Amino acid sequence: HHFPWRVAAARAGAAAGTAAATAAEVARAAYDGARAALAETPGQLAVLGQAGVVDAGGCGLVAVLGALWQALSGQEPAAEPVRGPAVPVPVALDPEPCGQEQGGPAYEVVYLLEASDEAVAGLRSGLDLLGDSLVVVGGDGLWNVHVHVDDPGAAVEAGVEAGRPHRIRITHFGDQRRRAAAPRAQRAVVAVAQGEGLAALCGEAGATTVLARPGEQPAAAELLDAVRRAHAREVVLLPGGPELRAAAAAAAEQARAEGVRVAVIPTRSAVQNLAALAVHDPDGSFDEDVVAMTAAAGATRYGELAVAERQSFTSAGICQAGDVLGLIDGDVAVIGAGLPETAEAVLKRMLGSGGELVTLVLGPEVPDTLAARLEAYVQHAHLAVDTVTYRGGRWSAPLLIGVE
């Protein structure tokens, strides 16, 4: 029903049909035709003319055609305004023609927000005063918030006043353009990390990280965004949990359609991610790198300690609320009353089948004395086994154990 958008599409198609034979020339002709038609849209629909804006759908079409021409030609568009005969509406001619205009807001702020309908109504009014391109969608207490502003801190503070914001992402438009213009790296690793400390560890190892929180697993779109941020021709994706396998596969399929070579290594725990990153060789062949990382992850047994929330049946028997559960390779193996003794029992079982390296990842509220106890056990019972300890940080499990 967007009549001006259809006009822009028709103009672009007609221009492309009369263009020369090369793909880049056809794309440029379509781009120029769509831009000219877009500038006319305020004169074709009264509501657009009154607001002094161009048609949103046509704006999106221009963005797509501009990106297509740039990709085919390898050229950077010159900055020049597009003006139509009806209402002079400046549209910047750049890789993001409908994004930030010159002199517009410098930052894009996106976050999820837990808030009531009443609080969101006030948030809309506040954000509308701070910037533009405001979108707030959702319902039932959970909202997606998107806005372009010059003061990103104020946009986040407005969310804090309205409710509980999380998954906050702040992007500078200049950073977006520089990344798009920068040459792609040959290979990158994208790793999902449940815990801020784990995310920092993966980042230090050279990975592009996606932070996961309990009960808020990343969707395929978030993983795809991380693959794009990695900006590489080849990407190894480490989901770090079986529940993310489908999302990782969907993100990889879309990335492949965009020309990126992607391999998903089905890691089931953060300690398997760390093992894979330890053998990552960005200078070797892609296939050999993937095989080595897959072998390292597969050779790492993983354990986890958690606290039972309710009475339930497990593979180790019936647990009560508050019991400490020791899981090995995803199954409950030990049910205990306290964290230290349960952790030692889990580690003893895991080392029963051998091992060379133990990795301990402590949660934010776990004391260092637990790591000291487990390290002492390994030193006395398994002389040839080394131990390394990390802090998982906020949102990590109470304890993760890896045995390689």
Side-chain angles (χ1 to χ4, degrees):
H1 61 279
H2 292 290
F3 173 72
W5 185 3
R6 292 205 301 270
V7 171
R11 175 76 69 83
T18 59
T22 71
E25 290 170 338
V26 171
R28 180 57 196 250
Y31 180 37
D32 289 341
R35 290 173 61 235
L38 178 65
E40 296 175 2
T41 56
Q44 296 165 347
L45 197 61
V47 66
L48 297 179
Q50 292 166 4
V53 298
V54 293
D55 178 69
C59 191
L61 177 63
V62 169
V64 171
L65 291 174
L68 174 63
W69 171 72
Q70 185 180 6
L72 291 173
S73 67
Q75 298 181 44
E76 186 76 17
E80 58 183 77
V82 176
R83 300 188 184 276
V87 179
V89 184
V91 180
L93 174 56
D94 62 17
E96 296 172 285
C98 304
Q100 180 210 16
E101 296 178 8
Q102 292 184 354
Y107 295 91
E108 176 188 57
V109 179
V110 180
Y111 51 82
L112 284 177
L113 178 69
E114 294 179 18
S116 65
D117 292 5
E118 295 78 10
V120 168
L123 174 68
R124 280 196 177 99
S125 300
L127 291 180
D128 197 41
L129 296 174
L130 286 175
D132 58 29
S133 300
L134 175 63
V135 178
V136 181
V137 295
D140 297 326
L142 185 62
W143 308 83
N144 274 288
V145 179
H146 168 282
V147 67
H148 294 177
V149 293
D150 280 321
D151 186 351
V156 175
E157 288 173 8
V160 173
E161 292 174 1
R164 188 175 78 89
H166 46 97
R167 290 201 189 173
I168 300 167
R169 188 177 78 242
I170 300 172
T171 305
H172 190 275
F173 285 112
D175 295 338
Q176 283 185 333
R177 293 192 177 101
R178 281 192 293 273
R179 186 168 64 239
R184 286 183 179 271
Q186 181 59 35
R187 188 174 312 146
V189 178
V190 171
V192 179
Q194 188 158 307
E196 291 178 337
L198 282 167
L201 275 174
C202 293
E204 290 171 9
T208 298
T209 60
V210 178
L211 182 60
R213 301 168 180 81
E216 298 176 11
Q217 294 300 334
E222 194 168 351
L223 299 182
L224 177 61
D225 179 64
V227 171
R228 290 168 174 162
R229 284 190 287 115
H231 203 56
R233 298 181 183 89
E234 302 168 340
V235 172
V236 181
L237 181 53
L238 306 175
E243 67 280 359
L244 286 173
R245 188 171 297 178
E253 183 178 0
Q254 179 59 41
R256 292 183 190 116
E258 297 175 5
V260 181
R261 188 179 185 187
V262 183
V264 179
I265 297 179
T267 51
R268 300 171 63 86
S269 170
V271 291
Q272 290 190 334
N273 280 2
L274 295 176
L277 280 166
V279 301
H280 169 52
D281 180 11
D283 297 323
S285 77
F286 184 72
D287 291 336
E288 290 175 351
D289 196 24
V290 171
V291 168
M293 294 176 74
T294 302
T300 302
R301 301 192 69 195
Y302 58 97
E304 179 178 345
L305 266 68
V307 178
E309 296 181 353
R310 67 184 73 86
Q311 183 188 62
S312 59
F313 293 93
T314 76
S315 51
I318 300 175
C319 71
Q320 306 296 326
D323 283 348
V324 179
L325 306 180
L327 293 83
I328 299 177
D329 295 336
D331 295 321
V332 177
V334 180
I335 299 175
L339 194 66
E341 55 268 32
T342 307
E344 189 169 313
V346 168
L347 185 55
K348 183 177 181 179
R349 289 199 185 193
M350 293 179 72
L351 285 172
S353 56
E356 298 176 1
L357 175 66
V358 170
T359 300
L360 304 174
V361 181
L362 276 62
E365 299 178 2
V366 175
D368 292 333
T369 52
L370 176 59
R373 173 173 174 165
L374 297 179
E375 289 173 3
Y377 166 76
V378 174
Q379 288 175 357
H380 288 93
H382 303 273
L383 298 178
V385 179
D386 294 323
T387 304
V388 61
T389 302
Y390 302 111
R391 277 285 176 182
R394 185 168 53 156
W395 295 308
S396 70
L399 179 67
L400 298 175
I401 302 174
V403 175
E404 299 176 49

